[in-house]
Amino acid sequence: MPALHLLHIDASARLGVSGIHPHGSNTRRLTQHFVDRWSSVRPQDQVIYRDLSRQRPSPVTAEWIDAAFIPPEQRDAEMTAYLAESDRLVEELTRADLVVIGVPMYNFGIPATLKAWIDNVVRVGATFGFDRDRAEGPYWPMLSAGKRLVILSSRGDAGYDPGGRLESVNLVERSITLPMSYIGLTETYRIAIEYDESADDRLAASIDKAESAVDTLVQKLAAAQLQVSRTLPDDAAIP
Ligand SMILES: Cc1cc2nc3c(=O)[nH]c(=O)nc-3n(C[C@H](O)[C@H](O)[C@H](O)COP(=O)(O)O)c2cc1C
């Protein structure tokens, strides 16, 4: 079975893990649960870890825009150096077959660190193409097809899922799926914990439900991967 690359991203400002540390992060708990399960089913896969709270990506600046929006062959050394961080983040994403993002809800949306990561990886000429004169439309995704995105979230209140009382004010998943689909990550899964602020039985039940959903998702994605591997000839190269 060919090895895959899993990119594990955490974005909670809380550095502890719920269930282990007091007031720890639910999203760190869920991503760790996902990665542990995945590694037990597919120990051959490589996990790349990026903690956006411990290593905060730089926000977009005027210098970044100048460097990113001119063709690579016209960049001077300073511009090239300026994009080094973005290059590294793009490279991790490009290599990943499966992207698992732990994302808390902050003020109905995503943490600034995750927004900065998105702004660094959604980059013209690197992850999406742009040509005003292109007949099929000016933009196209550059990431290879078949990548999967898993969004593991947590909220203080409850009712943010599709059909829920607060669905319309939940900006979290869409803030991620929209830019990610733009660069080619269109297969998306989402699981969330709710009631963090209640800190009662409802939170405990929500954590149990989310962890079971993660178990089911891991089985499903790993089985789908096995299916892909079986349909490939033994010597096929995985792009
Ligand atoms: C700065 C901040 C803003 C928050 N905003 C919201 C919010 O808009 N809606 C909500 O339901 N919960 C909100 N919460 C609660 C968190 O979503 C909740 O505690 C969640 O579990 C955080 O994820 P974590 O456990 O991985 O840190 C907020 C928490 C913080 C710290």
Side-chain angles (χ1 to χ4, degrees), residues 12 14 24-28 104-108 154-157 160 196-197:
S12 174
R14 299 202 278 193
S25 154
N26 294 326
T27 54
R28 287 178 187 273
M105 173 180 279
Y106 288 167
N107 302 313
F108 307 103
S154 179
R155 309 125 185 186
D157 203 349
Y160 291 104
D196 186 52
E197 270 152 23

Side-chain angles (χ1 to χ4, degrees), residues 164-183:
R165 168 180 70 93
L166 293 172
E167 178 188 5
S168 66
V169 294
N170 177 6
L171 307 176
V172 172
E173 283 83 0
R174 202 160 155 70
S175 299
I176 303 169
T177 55
L178 202 57
M180 289 298 106
S181 65
Y182 186 67
I183 60 176

Side-chain angles (χ1 to χ4, degrees), residues 14-236:
R14 299 202 278 193
L15 301 180
V17 178
S18 116
I20 299 175
H21 307 105
H23 309 294
S25 154
N26 294 326
T27 54
R28 287 178 187 273
R29 177 180 184 149
L30 273 191
T31 56
Q32 194 54 57
H33 188 78
F34 187 104
V35 172
D36 288 349
R37 287 289 185 277
W38 188 269
S39 298
S40 68
V41 179
R42 293 189 50 93
Q44 72 273 36
D45 291 347
Q46 194 192 333
V47 179
I48 307 160
Y49 183 52
R50 190 151 279 277
D51 187 334
L52 301 180
S53 284
R54 288 188 167 91
Q55 270 186 295
R56 290 189 287 272
S58 310
V60 164
T61 58
E63 292 89 342
W64 189 96
I65 296 170
D66 285 346
F69 281 82
I70 67 165
E73 62 278 8
Q74 290 173 32
R75 278 177 205 144
D76 60 25
E78 210 177 324
M79 288 171 165
T80 303
Y82 210 88
L83 290 177
E85 181 188 12
S86 169
D87 286 341
R88 199 162 47 247
L89 298 176
V90 165
E91 202 266 326
E92 285 174 2
L93 179 60
T94 304
R95 197 144 34 106
D97 302 286
L98 178 59
V99 182
V100 179
I101 302 181
V103 53
M105 173 180 279
Y106 288 167
N107 302 313
F108 307 103
I110 62 174
T113 49
L114 182 58
K115 180 64 167 70
W117 178 84
I118 291 172
D119 290 341
N120 273 281
V121 299
V122 179
R123 203 176 102 196
V124 67
T127 54
F128 74 91
F130 175 69
D131 177 359
R132 211 170 268 114
D133 302 324
R134 186 168 168 268
E136 310 92 295
Y139 305 101
W140 65 95
M142 286 175 66
L143 292 185
S144 60
K147 292 180 191 292
R148 290 152 175 157
L149 172 64
V150 176
I151 300 172
L152 302 175
S153 190
S154 179
R155 309 125 185 186
D157 203 349
Y160 291 104
D161 281 325
R165 168 180 70 93
L166 293 172
E167 178 188 5
S168 66
V169 294
N170 177 6
L171 307 176
V172 172
E173 283 83 0
R174 202 160 155 70
S175 299
I176 303 169
T177 55
L178 202 57
M180 289 298 106
S181 65
Y182 186 67
I183 60 176
L185 267 120
T186 51
E187 187 177 333
T188 306
Y189 302 87
R190 53 185 278 181
I191 295 167
I193 291 172
E194 299 201 302
Y195 294 107
D196 186 52
E197 270 152 23
S198 314
D200 56 16
D201 290 352
R202 290 173 296 178
L203 171 62
S206 185
I207 290 174
D208 281 352
K209 193 173 160 201
E211 287 186 338
S212 296
V214 165
D215 294 345
T216 305
L217 181 59
V218 166
Q219 292 300 335
K220 175 182 158 154
L221 294 179
Q225 193 54 46
L226 195 60
Q227 207 61 32
V228 171
S229 309
R230 283 200 180 124
T231 58
L232 292 168
D234 285 347
D235 58 348

